[in-house]
C-alpha cells in the first residue's frame, strides 16, 4: 500500500491489488516450505496470512485517513 500511494490515489482497487500480492507471496512461501525438512505447506496457512494482510491494509488506510503524514 505504501508503494502504491506514491504513484496512485489509493482506492478500493489498490487495496485489492495489495491483498492479491500478499496472497500470492503467501502461496509461494507455503510452496517453498514443502521442500524444507520438518516444515509443511498448508492451504489454511495462506488464508491466515491473507487475513493478517487484510488487517494490515485496513489499519494502514485507517491511519492514513486519520493521521497527517509529513513529507
Amino acid at each position: 500500500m505504501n508503494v502504491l500511494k506514491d504513484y496512485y490515489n489509493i482506492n478500493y482497487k489498490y487495496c485489492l491489488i495489495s491483498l492479491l500480492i500478499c496472497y500470492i507471496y503467501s502461496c509461494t512461501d507455503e510452496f517453498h516450505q514443502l521442500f524444507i525438512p520438518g516444515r509443511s505447506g498448508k492451504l489454511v496457512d495462506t488464508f491466515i496470512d491473507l487475513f493478517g494482510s487484510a488487517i494490515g491494509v485496513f489499519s494502514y488506510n485507517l491511519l492514513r485517513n486519520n493521521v497527517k503524514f509529513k513529507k
Side-chain angles (χ1 to χ4, degrees):
M1 290 295 297
N2 206 28
V3 170
L4 292 175
K5 83 164 178 60
D6 291 338
Y7 300 102
Y8 306 102
N9 290 330
I10 299 299
N11 61 25
Y12 181 72
K13 175 181 164 185
Y14 295 110
C15 292
L16 290 178
I17 290 171
S18 294
L19 289 175
L20 179 63
I21 290 169
C22 290
Y23 185 70
I24 290 171
Y25 182 81
S26 172
C27 289
T28 60
D29 183 47
E30 292 300 318
F31 179 71
H32 172 259
Q33 288 182 22
L34 292 173
F35 302 102
I36 306 298
R39 303 288 307 259
S40 64
K42 296 181 182 178
L43 183 62
V44 72
D45 288 344
T46 63
F47 293 117
I48 293 169
D49 293 339
L50 180 62
F51 181 71
S53 299
I55 290 172
V57 167
F58 175 76
S59 299
Y60 178 84
N61 283 317
L62 188 67
L63 287 172
R64 186 178 62 88
N65 292 332
N66 292 324
V67 176
K68 299 235 181 217
F69 291 102
K70 294 181 180 180
K71 288 189 174 191

